[in-house]
Amino acid sequence: EAEVAQSPRYKITEKSQAVAFWCDPISGHATLYWYRQILGQGPELLVQFQDESVVDDSQLPKDRFSAERLKGVDSTLKIQPAELGDSAMYLCASSFIRSYNEQFFGPGTRLTVL
Amino acid sequence: DAKTTQPPSMDCAEGRAANLPCNHSTISGNEYVYWYRQIHSQGPQYIIHGLKNNETNEMASLIITEDRKSSTLILPHATLRDTAVYYCIVQGAQKLVFGQGTRLTINP
């Protein structure tokens, strides 16, 4: 069964360092999402792509976060510089069409900022 | 987007039906009810969705009241692997907005 791949699974970094996460969606899924999940809370959407275009980044802290999906397939989420409050699970999801109907989530990257 | 209210936690005995309630009194006519679950240390998993008719799939059943102000997710024969956080989400034209969900614990 096709799955969303994410790497790394775990990342420990010091504050003020740069960190990057990678996501490879299910083949053929045009819509890709990045979520952040703080411990004990539900996931929060950071950015949504339709192919290579950003369609929603209203919750992305643009002073330090950036996301790209250059060829409309895999995607990278970057944080620079990382802050203590960025410690969270970063989840990637994809869906076949922009319907929010059934999103398939990856296993996530657990980020710890020291 | 309409908000939802779920109990923070529930327990259910293994083999019994688990009934998870969700209130969404401000739902509007074109908004669907979605259910996802998140097993510990994994990403969320889609379960089922519906508009106004009851729905059933291989995982669960979704019962939506006639006024659409509440719904119930039913896991007919809960197993230990169903222990997870269950999210009820009302989705219209905007993004999925996850609340804090219900932490369901299946007890042996």
Side-chain angles (χ1 to χ4, degrees):
Chain A
E1 182 175 302
E3 295 180 342
V4 175
Q6 289 189 249
S7 67
R9 292 293 311 276
Y10 303 92
K11 179 70 177 179
I12 300 174
T13 191
E14 294 185 344
K15 63 179 181 179
S16 79
Q17 296 298 304
V19 63
F21 314 127
W22 177 79
C23 172
D24 191 13
I26 292 172
S27 178
H29 281 194
T31 310
L32 184 146
Y33 315 79
W34 283 101
Y35 289 84
R36 176 173 59 187
Q37 185 172 25
I38 295 170
L39 193 64
Q41 300 182 18
E44 174 193 26
L45 180 69
L46 292 176
V47 62
Q48 178 191 338
F49 289 91
Q50 180 68 25
D51 298 309
E52 67 276 6
S53 300
V54 173
V55 296
D56 185 351
D57 63 357
S58 57
Q59 299 302 311
L60 188 71
K62 299 180 187 62
D63 56 336
R64 298 184 300 106
F65 286 64
S66 64
E68 60 183 16
R69 193 183 183 199
L70 294 177
K71 297 183 180 179
V73 181
D74 59 338
S75 175
T76 302
L77 178 70
K78 297 179 181 178
I79 308 174
Q80 182 174 14
E83 296 180 353
L84 296 177
D86 297 331
S87 294
M89 175 75 83
Y90 290 84
L91 294 158
C92 179
S94 68
S95 63
F96 183 60
I97 57 175
R98 189 190 167 193
S99 68
Y100 314 99
N101 189 337
E102 182 177 352
Q103 296 184 23
F104 295 83
F105 283 79
T109 296
R110 169 74 65 188
L111 174 66
T112 300
V113 182
L114 302 176
Chain B
D1 296 319
K3 295 187 186 297
T4 61
T5 303
Q6 299 178 254
S9 63
M10 292 182 62
D11 285 87
C12 180
E14 187 179 18
R16 305 296 294 270
N19 297 282
L20 292 91
C22 180
N23 287 322
H24 32 79
S25 58
T26 60
I27 193 171
S28 56
N30 62 345
E31 290 181 317
Y32 285 77
V33 180
Y34 284 81
W35 284 84
Y36 280 73
R37 73 179 183 184
Q38 188 171 22
I39 296 170
H40 183 62
S41 296
Q42 298 183 19
Q45 175 191 25
Y46 165 84
I47 302 173
I48 199 168
H49 76 282
L51 184 62
K52 49 186 170 182
N53 297 322
N54 298 337
E55 302 288 344
T56 295
N57 62 21
E58 66 279 3
M59 290 183 67
S61 294
L62 174 60
I63 308 298
I64 303 174
T65 57
E66 192 169 344
D67 63 8
R68 304 208 324 122
K69 293 185 177 181
S70 65
S71 60
T72 301
L73 179 75
I74 301 172
L75 308 178
H77 304 287
T79 70
L80 298 179
R81 289 176 295 180
D82 292 322
T83 292
V85 177
Y86 287 77
Y87 297 100
C88 169
I89 302 165
V90 171
Q91 178 261 320
Q94 303 301 319
K95 55 198 172 189
L96 286 179
V97 178
F98 290 81
Q100 293 191 309
T102 295
R103 182 172 298 278
L104 175 68
T105 302
I106 306 301
N107 300 307

